[in-house]
Amino acid sequence: MSQHSKALAVLTLGVAVAVGALVLTRHVVAIAGEADTNRLNQAILGYVAEKNPLAPIKAFQQFPPVLVAESQRTGIDHCLALAQPEVESQLRHDIVGNAGEIGLFQVLPSTAAIFESQLGPFKRPVITKPQREPGDLSDPVVSTKFAMAYLRDIRVRRPLIKDALTEYNGGPAGRHPHYYRMVMGTYVEVLERAELRCRFRQAPRDAPALTLLTRA
């Protein structure tokens, strides 16, 4: 074999090894990312089960990935998006409010109807004395999608999360300003749950020695 052939063979082998290593690295990263996502999904399901022990976890199986994806689209922390239905419904998926609000995020059917062109049609509720059928808004996934679409629409006009949440609950007039405080208070508690991988986490308190050094 000539020197040129040997060099070409070595180069080819090197390229093959490099490509193989790159493919293997991407595969390992993909597996690690999938495992990380699964852990987060299980942590969210665990939180739902803790706050609402009667929750049928089967009905919530697709809730975690939809919650994370929709909150990212809305530009908020998924932990804030988790705190909101805890305040709205105590994480009860089929609850019906006094004004006809339904599901986790207590979405009015009339409000959801505004977003059917974006999200597709949903089955309307039938709430009467002989019959109680809350419809598709009792599905955690459907409720989350419509609620986040509504919140995104509000944020176009009211980008500050305080204003957006106040309008979400009380309408454009913001009749219930305490709602924002309730959601944020719950959010602060959720932030303490490291397993939920919140985007924003409480900063650890300074150790005494570090405090002294800072003050010096």
PDB file of all heavy atoms in Angstrom, residues 155-171:
ATOM      1  N   ARG A 155     -52.354  38.597  27.479  1.00  0.00           N
ATOM      2  CA  ARG A 155     -51.012  39.176  27.613  1.00  0.00           C
ATOM      3  C   ARG A 155     -50.605  40.034  26.420  1.00  0.00           C
ATOM      4  O   ARG A 155     -49.658  40.812  26.519  1.00  0.00           O
ATOM      5  CB  ARG A 155     -49.982  38.067  27.862  1.00  0.00           C
ATOM      6  CG  ARG A 155     -50.171  37.348  29.193  1.00  0.00           C
ATOM      7  CD  ARG A 155     -48.938  36.584  29.595  1.00  0.00           C
ATOM      8  NE  ARG A 155     -47.872  37.496  30.014  1.00  0.00           N
ATOM      9  CZ  ARG A 155     -46.620  37.126  30.205  1.00  0.00           C
ATOM     10  NH1 ARG A 155     -46.253  35.874  29.962  1.00  0.00           N
ATOM     11  NH2 ARG A 155     -45.718  37.989  30.610  1.00  0.00           N
ATOM     12  N   VAL A 156     -51.294  39.870  25.312  1.00  0.00           N
ATOM     13  CA  VAL A 156     -51.047  40.770  24.182  1.00  0.00           C
ATOM     14  C   VAL A 156     -51.391  42.199  24.580  1.00  0.00           C
ATOM     15  O   VAL A 156     -50.698  43.155  24.231  1.00  0.00           O
ATOM     16  CB  VAL A 156     -51.877  40.344  22.955  1.00  0.00           C
ATOM     17  CG1 VAL A 156     -51.775  41.381  21.850  1.00  0.00           C
ATOM     18  CG2 VAL A 156     -51.410  38.979  22.449  1.00  0.00           C
ATOM     19  N   ARG A 157     -52.469  42.330  25.345  1.00  0.00           N
ATOM     20  CA  ARG A 157     -52.910  43.648  25.818  1.00  0.00           C
ATOM     21  C   ARG A 157     -52.297  44.018  27.157  1.00  0.00           C
ATOM     22  O   ARG A 157     -52.035  45.187  27.438  1.00  0.00           O
ATOM     23  CB  ARG A 157     -54.439  43.669  25.968  1.00  0.00           C
ATOM     24  CG  ARG A 157     -55.202  43.270  24.729  1.00  0.00           C
ATOM     25  CD  ARG A 157     -56.711  43.402  24.941  1.00  0.00           C
ATOM     26  NE  ARG A 157     -57.183  42.698  26.127  1.00  0.00           N
ATOM     27  CZ  ARG A 157     -57.463  41.395  26.147  1.00  0.00           C
ATOM     28  NH1 ARG A 157     -57.307  40.663  25.054  1.00  0.00           N
ATOM     29  NH2 ARG A 157     -57.908  40.824  27.249  1.00  0.00           N
ATOM     30  N   ARG A 158     -52.100  43.004  27.988  1.00  0.00           N
ATOM     31  CA  ARG A 158     -51.596  43.225  29.345  1.00  0.00           C
ATOM     32  C   ARG A 158     -50.392  42.308  29.578  1.00  0.00           C
ATOM     33  O   ARG A 158     -50.539  41.216  30.139  1.00  0.00           O
ATOM     34  CB  ARG A 158     -52.685  42.950  30.367  1.00  0.00           C
ATOM     35  CG  ARG A 158     -53.916  43.857  30.235  1.00  0.00           C
ATOM     36  CD  ARG A 158     -54.980  43.489  31.257  1.00  0.00           C
ATOM     37  NE  ARG A 158     -56.142  44.346  31.162  1.00  0.00           N
ATOM     38  CZ  ARG A 158     -56.295  45.489  31.823  1.00  0.00           C
ATOM     39  NH1 ARG A 158     -55.314  45.909  32.625  1.00  0.00           N
ATOM     40  NH2 ARG A 158     -57.392  46.208  31.700  1.00  0.00           N
ATOM     41  N   PRO A 159     -49.207  42.719  29.163  1.00  0.00           N
ATOM     42  CA  PRO A 159     -48.034  41.842  29.255  1.00  0.00           C
ATOM     43  C   PRO A 159     -47.585  41.536  30.687  1.00  0.00           C
ATOM     44  O   PRO A 159     -46.963  40.504  30.924  1.00  0.00           O
ATOM     45  CB  PRO A 159     -46.953  42.622  28.494  1.00  0.00           C
ATOM     46  CG  PRO A 159     -47.408  44.039  28.509  1.00  0.00           C
ATOM     47  CD  PRO A 159     -48.901  43.990  28.482  1.00  0.00           C
ATOM     48  N   LEU A 160     -47.880  42.417  31.633  1.00  0.00           N
ATOM     49  CA  LEU A 160     -47.494  42.156  33.020  1.00  0.00           C
ATOM     50  C   LEU A 160     -48.359  41.027  33.578  1.00  0.00           C
ATOM     51  O   LEU A 160     -49.593  41.047  33.462  1.00  0.00           O
ATOM     52  CB  LEU A 160     -47.662  43.407  33.875  1.00  0.00           C
ATOM     53  CG  LEU A 160     -46.745  44.587  33.540  1.00  0.00           C
ATOM     54  CD1 LEU A 160     -47.020  45.757  34.475  1.00  0.00           C
ATOM     55  CD2 LEU A 160     -45.279  44.183  33.621  1.00  0.00           C
ATOM     56  N   ILE A 161     -47.703  40.050  34.184  1.00  0.00           N
ATOM     57  CA  ILE A 161     -48.419  38.867  34.651  1.00  0.00           C
ATOM     58  C   ILE A 161     -49.458  39.223  35.708  1.00  0.00           C
ATOM     59  O   ILE A 161     -50.529  38.605  35.784  1.00  0.00           O
ATOM     60  CB  ILE A 161     -47.431  37.793  35.175  1.00  0.00           C
ATOM     61  CG1 ILE A 161     -48.162  36.451  35.344  1.00  0.00           C
ATOM     62  CG2 ILE A 161     -46.769  38.231  36.471  1.00  0.00           C
ATOM     63  CD1 ILE A 161     -48.697  35.868  34.068  1.00  0.00           C
ATOM     64  N   LYS A 162     -49.208  40.241  36.518  1.00  0.00           N
ATOM     65  CA  LYS A 162     -50.192  40.654  37.525  1.00  0.00           C
ATOM     66  C   LYS A 162     -51.480  41.105  36.851  1.00  0.00           C
ATOM     67  O   LYS A 162     -52.576  40.687  37.244  1.00  0.00           O
ATOM     68  CB  LYS A 162     -49.625  41.784  38.380  1.00  0.00           C
ATOM     69  CG  LYS A 162     -50.602  42.291  39.433  1.00  0.00           C
ATOM     70  CD  LYS A 162     -49.986  43.400  40.290  1.00  0.00           C
ATOM     71  CE  LYS A 162     -50.982  43.881  41.353  1.00  0.00           C
ATOM     72  NZ  LYS A 162     -50.394  44.946  42.198  1.00  0.00           N
ATOM     73  N   ASP A 163     -51.349  41.946  35.837  1.00  0.00           N
ATOM     74  CA  ASP A 163     -52.524  42.441  35.118  1.00  0.00           C
ATOM     75  C   ASP A 163     -53.219  41.306  34.364  1.00  0.00           C
ATOM     76  O   ASP A 163     -54.453  41.244  34.309  1.00  0.00           O
ATOM     77  CB  ASP A 163     -52.124  43.547  34.141  1.00  0.00           C
ATOM     78  CG  ASP A 163     -51.560  44.768  34.849  1.00  0.00           C
ATOM     79  OD1 ASP A 163     -51.893  44.981  36.035  1.00  0.00           O
ATOM     80  OD2 ASP A 163     -50.770  45.500  34.221  1.00  0.00           O
ATOM     81  N   ALA A 164     -52.414  40.412  33.776  1.00  0.00           N
ATOM     82  CA  ALA A 164     -52.985  39.314  32.987  1.00  0.00           C
ATOM     83  C   ALA A 164     -53.788  38.359  33.866  1.00  0.00           C
ATOM     84  O   ALA A 164     -54.907  37.959  33.517  1.00  0.00           O
ATOM     85  CB  ALA A 164     -51.873  38.567  32.262  1.00  0.00           C
ATOM     86  N   LEU A 165     -53.235  37.985  35.019  1.00  0.00           N
ATOM     87  CA  LEU A 165     -53.947  37.073  35.910  1.00  0.00           C
ATOM     88  C   LEU A 165     -55.198  37.725  36.490  1.00  0.00           C
ATOM     89  O   LEU A 165     -56.230  37.070  36.655  1.00  0.00           O
ATOM     90  CB  LEU A 165     -53.018  36.619  37.042  1.00  0.00           C
ATOM     91  CG  LEU A 165     -51.927  35.618  36.651  1.00  0.00           C
ATOM     92  CD1 LEU A 165     -51.001  35.350  37.836  1.00  0.00           C
ATOM     93  CD2 LEU A 165     -52.531  34.316  36.145  1.00  0.00           C
ATOM     94  N   THR A 166     -55.101  39.006  36.789  1.00  0.00           N
ATOM     95  CA  THR A 166     -56.266  39.714  37.333  1.00  0.00           C
ATOM     96  C   THR A 166     -57.407  39.731  36.324  1.00  0.00           C
ATOM     97  O   THR A 166     -58.568  39.502  36.672  1.00  0.00           O
ATOM     98  CB  THR A 166     -55.883  41.156  37.722  1.00  0.00           C
ATOM     99  OG1 THR A 166     -54.842  41.120  38.706  1.00  0.00           O
ATOM    100  CG2 THR A 166     -57.078  41.893  38.303  1.00  0.00           C
ATOM    101  N   GLU A 167     -57.068  39.963  35.046  1.00  0.00           N
ATOM    102  CA  GLU A 167     -58.116  39.947  34.017  1.00  0.00           C
ATOM    103  C   GLU A 167     -58.615  38.536  33.770  1.00  0.00           C
ATOM    104  O   GLU A 167     -59.808  38.329  33.514  1.00  0.00           O
ATOM    105  CB  GLU A 167     -57.615  40.565  32.712  1.00  0.00           C
ATOM    106  CG  GLU A 167     -58.687  40.550  31.627  1.00  0.00           C
ATOM    107  CD  GLU A 167     -58.312  41.337  30.380  1.00  0.00           C
ATOM    108  OE1 GLU A 167     -57.540  42.302  30.495  1.00  0.00           O
ATOM    109  OE2 GLU A 167     -58.800  40.982  29.290  1.00  0.00           O
ATOM    110  N   TYR A 168     -57.737  37.548  33.818  1.00  0.00           N
ATOM    111  CA  TYR A 168     -58.153  36.164  33.602  1.00  0.00           C
ATOM    112  C   TYR A 168     -59.278  35.796  34.564  1.00  0.00           C
ATOM    113  O   TYR A 168     -60.264  35.161  34.182  1.00  0.00           O
ATOM    114  CB  TYR A 168     -56.966  35.225  33.813  1.00  0.00           C
ATOM    115  CG  TYR A 168     -57.302  33.760  33.639  1.00  0.00           C
ATOM    116  CD1 TYR A 168     -57.053  33.116  32.432  1.00  0.00           C
ATOM    117  CD2 TYR A 168     -57.870  33.011  34.676  1.00  0.00           C
ATOM    118  CE1 TYR A 168     -57.371  31.775  32.264  1.00  0.00           C
ATOM    119  CE2 TYR A 168     -58.198  31.676  34.512  1.00  0.00           C
ATOM    120  CZ  TYR A 168     -57.943  31.060  33.304  1.00  0.00           C
ATOM    121  OH  TYR A 168     -58.274  29.728  33.139  1.00  0.00           O
ATOM    122  N   ASN A 169     -59.142  36.194  35.801  1.00  0.00           N
ATOM    123  CA  ASN A 169     -60.124  35.814  36.812  1.00  0.00           C
ATOM    124  C   ASN A 169     -61.303  36.770  36.909  1.00  0.00           C
ATOM    125  O   ASN A 169     -62.438  36.336  37.081  1.00  0.00           O
ATOM    126  CB  ASN A 169     -59.437  35.721  38.182  1.00  0.00           C
ATOM    127  CG  ASN A 169     -60.403  35.360  39.292  1.00  0.00           C
ATOM    128  OD1 ASN A 169     -60.824  36.216  40.047  1.00  0.00           O
ATOM    129  ND2 ASN A 169     -60.744  34.084  39.395  1.00  0.00           N
ATOM    130  N   GLY A 170     -61.042  38.074  36.759  1.00  0.00           N
ATOM    131  CA  GLY A 170     -62.091  39.045  37.013  1.00  0.00           C
ATOM    132  C   GLY A 170     -62.567  39.826  35.820  1.00  0.00           C
ATOM    133  O   GLY A 170     -63.365  40.753  35.967  1.00  0.00           O
ATOM    134  N   GLY A 171     -62.082  39.479  34.625  1.00  0.00           N
ATOM    135  CA  GLY A 171     -62.483  40.209  33.438  1.00  0.00           C
ATOM    136  C   GLY A 171     -61.696  41.491  33.261  1.00  0.00           C
ATOM    137  O   GLY A 171     -60.843  41.836  34.084  1.00  0.00           O
TER     138      GLY A 171
END
